Amino acid sequence: MAVTIKDVARLAGVSQSSVCRALADPARVRPETRDRVERAAHELDYHPNRVARSLITGRTLNIGVVLPDLANPFFPSVVKAIQTRARGFDYAVFLSDTDEDPALEVPAIRALAEQVDGFLLCSPRAADEELRSNAREKPIVVLNRRVTPFPSVTADSADGMRQAVAHLHALGHRSVAYVAGPRTSWSNRDRLRGLRAATAARGMDLVEAGNVAPTVDGGAAAADLVLATPATAVLAYNDLTALGLIQRFHARGVDVPGRISVVGFDDIHLAALVVPPLTTVAIAKEQIGRAGVDLLLASMAGRDSTGTARRVLPTQLIVRGSTGPAPV
Amino acid sequence: MAVTIKDVARLAGVSQSSVCRALADPARVRPETRDRVERAAHELDYHPNRVARSLITGRTLNIGVVLPDLANPFFPSVVKAIQTRARGFDYAVFLSDTDEDPALEVPAIRALAEQVDGFLLCSPRAADEELRSNAREKPIVVLNRRVTPFPSVTADSADGMRQAVAHLHALGHRSVAYVAGPRTSWSNRDRLRGLRAATAARGMDLVEAGNVAPTVDGGAAAADLVLATPATAVLAYNDLTALGLIQRFHARGVDVPGRISVVGFDDIHLAALVVPPLTTVAIAKEQIGRAGVDLLLASMAGRDSTGTARRVLPTQLIVRGSTGPAPV
DNA sequence: TTGAAAGCGGTACCAA
DNA sequence: TTGGTACCGCTTTCAA
């Protein structure tokens, strides 16, 4: 059996209450008492039980992270940052992977609700309304999406797309394709919106090639569709999709970037390792995680009254070998 | 405020105890009572508070997963499998990333100990003795390592190495190098052991090139060392390391597999996407996660008395473009 | 079969 | 400054 506060009280010869005070707020007990308690606690290697504590304080020191697919390298990066940041504040992290199934998100939130002080929802796929239905329970911060009235952390996709389009335009491309991600993905819509604006601003043609899964296979499936269009460059919803495109192009003997240029989004770690290395719009994944934790902590502390916080992080085009001059 | 058992009791016009019984073990109350309780519970959308329950039952329905680096794509695959499997048993998952720092593992375990029913330690880096010091607290299952007296799930590295060496031998290689991972990694020692046996069995030369971080950068750092040896093929501790090797070889204009063949370990998702695609020893990552959960559940249920369970999963060499005939 | 009451391990309030 | 005590939400004796 674990050592409890009673054991410490007995050994120190004081009451439970004093032990509690001595440990929580040393200033509120006599130095002598504090010493006795501390010595007893140390001797017994006593650590207050968080579960019991949370029952009365209502604070669990846990946060819940819900995300659609840990197999997408984007998310581990974010989760790692969340974990590290949370640990710094003595918070532990629950992880729930919903397998890209929007229907699993609300149950995932419900299941964790009593054990956490708040949620970080990464790229949630469920409808706004569904997410809002959980709003009263616990604070929620949304990453890679905006859902009123939750605080959010997003990337400046529009600017990223502007950079990518400027790059392609400078290379002589006048017709580009977009391989879209999940219809339920806010980032997808956001990126598409930015891309439309950017291409329109430069009078370029934009072909939209169907929605695919945000995976390598999804990209591979879209490759042939893209080749059937007049586009000389293709922007993918994310890097995995872009890698799928490149893979399929390679298999068909289509030269990248000779025949067609490819641009990804996210800058996952391995984007630089493929051949040709992938030109992509980088997002500060670690910052997303950190900012998410900070926002959540703030909103748990009730310091969110200044209005809904919205952090928009900058994006940065990373030019690598998968983009080149448009074919003549 | 959330709805509690009292609210249900009041609405149903029965005592707390009856509500508890009716919900936990319907057979122990009169059908009529059960109906009243069920209706009331349903109407109020009552869900028992797991935290409060765990305080008295001692079961949290949570498991803790501790791993060294989520940025290594191997781990997300395992975690995803763990998550999925755990959800099936109504368990939630705590995740703790220790950043390859052995000193963080025991604190991570301690921090979670009260909130979980058991631990899944993925490739722990801490010393056996340190890990054992936590043994009394909660059941532990170790993945990718063996630590007496914990149940474990490992891959059959020796057989994987045998397959890889047979493959290289058939291609004419007689001298191979091994780029080792962290000294603290059991898998690293296990793989090296298997490799030594396999090369010795065929009378091949084995050069061991220092220990590096199990990352792309680590591999890149080892590339030049490898080229300074007579080896015509190199086996890397894991795929990330192998990709780093290939990257650096590429940068130096060294042909893979023309001048040197490269073999990885793990078969991470993106191994197939690089050019040349990576020949690697595949591990059933999802099975590791699933088996881990199953073993942990068994040991939590106390069904572990038959002795320490050790599941060893098969490995499978996947031959791709990064290996070819030895240069003449 | 049911209800009352005692905890699980803490925290917080109140009176002393 | 300290100790006694109620209570967080639930489960589990123990009587009735």
Side-chain angles (χ1 to χ4, degrees):
Chain A
M1 209 56 206
V3 20
T4 79
I5 198 171
K6 281 184 182 168
D7 301 318
V8 180
R10 198 175 310 125
L11 181 60
V14 298
S15 70
Q16 274 188 46
S17 334
S18 295
V19 175
C20 185
R21 281 187 217 105
L23 266 27
D25 186 7
R28 291 165 43 80
V29 296
R30 202 161 28 126
E32 188 197 314
T33 311
R34 178 166 47 101
D35 279 359
R36 303 236 313 265
V37 170
E38 276 175 357
R39 213 167 309 126
H42 187 264
E43 181 174 338
L44 296 172
D45 192 27
Y46 168 75
H47 295 282
N49 183 322
R50 285 187 176 201
V51 176
R53 170 186 291 170
S54 76
L55 201 53
I56 180 119
T57 62
R59 295 186 63 212
T60 61
L61 291 186
N62 294 148
I63 64 179
V65 173
V66 180
L67 48 77
D69 183 18
L70 206 55
N72 179 343
F74 176 80
F75 294 111
S77 299
V78 176
V79 172
K80 194 177 167 88
I82 290 173
Q83 235 283 145
T84 304
R85 188 67 164 184
R87 196 202 336 262
F89 292 104
D90 205 25
Y91 270 80
V93 172
F94 270 108
L95 182 75
S96 189
D97 180 315
T98 58
D99 248 329
E100 291 281 357
D101 183 350
L104 250 39
E105 289 179 0
V106 170
I109 294 174
R110 288 263 161 79
L112 255 32
E114 319 146 315
Q115 312 196 65
V116 303
D117 294 338
F119 287 97
L120 247 24
L121 306 185
C122 303
S123 314
R125 309 299 197 204
D128 285 25
E129 205 39 67
E130 279 191 86
L131 296 176
R132 272 193 286 269
S133 71
N134 295 281
R136 262 166 310 158
E137 316 255 356
K138 300 278 170 152
I140 287 178
V141 169
V142 182
L143 308 185
N144 302 320
R145 175 168 169 181
R146 272 200 290 256
V147 183
T148 310
F150 306 122
S152 66
V153 183
T154 53
D156 191 348
S157 302
D159 188 58
M161 283 302 189
R162 202 173 301 126
Q163 295 175 56
V165 166
H167 170 65
L168 293 172
H169 187 269
L171 287 168
H173 296 273
R174 292 299 176 265
S175 174
V176 302
Y178 178 65
V179 175
R183 223 177 291 273
T184 46
S185 160
W186 186 89
S187 316
N188 177 59
R189 295 195 299 274
D190 193 44
R191 289 170 192 183
L192 178 54
R193 201 179 308 130
L195 180 56
R196 280 190 187 136
T199 47
R202 296 185 178 268
M204 291 164 68
D205 275 343
L206 174 62
V207 189
E208 298 173 23
N211 296 79
V212 299
T215 60
V216 172
D217 292 336
D224 301 305
L225 304 180
V226 170
L227 287 181
T229 74
T232 57
V234 53
L235 298 99
Y237 164 63
N238 70 6
D239 284 351
L240 288 182
T241 317
L243 295 181
L245 286 168
I246 289 180
Q247 186 188 38
R248 176 63 183 163
F249 288 155
H250 185 76
R252 280 192 56 187
V254 173
D255 184 42
V256 176
R259 155 72 176 84
I260 192 164
S261 288
V262 178
V263 179
F265 215 108
D266 286 351
D267 192 29
I268 60 176
H269 190 210
L270 289 107
L273 296 179
V274 296
V275 178
L278 187 63
T279 293
T280 184
V281 177
I283 300 180
K285 298 171 281 295
E286 291 71 22
Q287 270 194 56
I288 291 188
R290 276 206 305 274
V293 172
D294 292 346
L295 247 41
L296 186 57
L297 255 40
S299 96
M300 290 183 321
R303 291 184 268 117
D304 195 31
S305 46
T306 53
T308 297
R310 290 189 171 178
R311 289 220 34 196
V312 179
L313 302 177
T315 51
Q316 172 67 54
L317 180 71
I318 310 287
V319 175
R320 298 202 185 96
S322 70
T323 46
V328 282
Chain B
M1 208 56 207
V3 19
T4 77
I5 198 171
K6 281 185 182 168
D7 302 318
V8 180
R10 199 176 309 125
L11 180 62
V14 297
S15 71
Q16 276 188 44
S17 338
S18 295
V19 175
C20 184
R21 282 187 215 107
L23 266 26
D25 186 6
R28 290 166 45 81
V29 297
R30 204 164 24 135
E32 190 196 313
T33 312
R34 179 169 46 104
D35 279 358
R36 302 238 309 267
V37 171
E38 276 174 358
R39 215 168 305 129
H42 188 265
E43 182 173 336
L44 297 173
D45 192 27
Y46 168 75
H47 294 284
N49 183 323
R50 287 186 176 203
V51 175
R53 170 184 292 170
S54 75
L55 200 53
I56 180 126
T57 62
R59 296 187 61 211
T60 61
L61 291 184
N62 294 148
I63 64 180
V65 174
V66 180
L67 47 78
D69 184 18
L70 206 56
N72 178 342
F74 176 80
F75 294 111
S77 300
V78 176
V79 172
K80 195 177 166 87
I82 290 173
Q83 236 282 145
T84 304
R85 188 67 163 184
R87 197 203 334 263
F89 292 104
D90 205 25
Y91 270 80
V93 172
F94 270 108
L95 183 75
S96 190
D97 181 314
T98 58
D99 248 328
E100 291 282 357
D101 183 351
L104 250 38
E105 288 178 1
V106 169
I109 294 173
R110 287 264 160 78
L112 255 31
E114 319 144 316
Q115 313 196 64
V116 303
D117 293 338
F119 286 97
L120 246 24
L121 307 185
C122 303
S123 313
R125 309 299 197 205
D128 284 25
E129 205 37 67
E130 280 191 85
L131 296 176
R132 271 194 287 266
S133 71
N134 294 280
R136 263 167 307 157
E137 316 255 354
K138 301 275 172 157
I140 288 179
V141 169
V142 181
L143 308 185
N144 301 319
R145 174 167 170 182
R146 270 198 293 253
V147 183
T148 309
F150 306 122
S152 65
V153 183
T154 53
D156 191 348
S157 303
D159 190 56
M161 283 302 188
R162 202 173 303 127
Q163 295 177 55
V165 167
H167 169 64
L168 293 173
H169 187 269
L171 286 168
H173 297 273
R174 292 299 176 262
S175 173
V176 302
Y178 178 65
V179 174
R183 223 177 291 273
T184 47
S185 160
W186 186 89
S187 314
N188 177 58
R189 295 193 300 274
D190 192 44
R191 290 170 192 183
L192 178 54
R193 200 179 310 132
L195 179 56
R196 279 187 187 140
T199 47
R202 293 184 180 270
M204 292 165 68
D205 274 345
L206 174 62
V207 189
E208 297 173 23
N211 296 79
V212 299
T215 61
V216 172
D217 293 336
D224 301 305
L225 303 181
V226 170
L227 287 181
T229 74
T232 57
V234 53
L235 296 99
Y237 164 63
N238 70 6
D239 284 351
L240 288 182
T241 316
L243 295 179
L245 286 169
I246 290 181
Q247 186 188 36
R248 176 63 184 164
F249 288 154
H250 185 74
R252 280 193 55 187
V254 173
D255 185 42
V256 175
R259 155 71 177 83
I260 191 164
S261 288
V262 178
V263 179
F265 215 108
D266 286 351
D267 192 30
I268 61 177
H269 190 209
L270 288 105
L273 296 179
V274 296
V275 178
L278 187 64
T279 293
T280 184
V281 177
I283 299 181
K285 298 172 281 297
E286 291 71 23
Q287 270 195 57
I288 291 189
R290 276 206 306 274
V293 172
D294 292 346
L295 246 42
L296 185 57
L297 256 39
S299 95
M300 292 184 318
R303 291 183 269 116
D304 195 32
S305 46
T306 53
T308 297
R310 291 189 171 179
R311 288 217 39 194
V312 179
L313 301 177
T315 50
Q316 172 67 55
L317 179 72
I318 311 287
V319 175
R320 299 203 184 96
S322 69
T323 47
V328 280

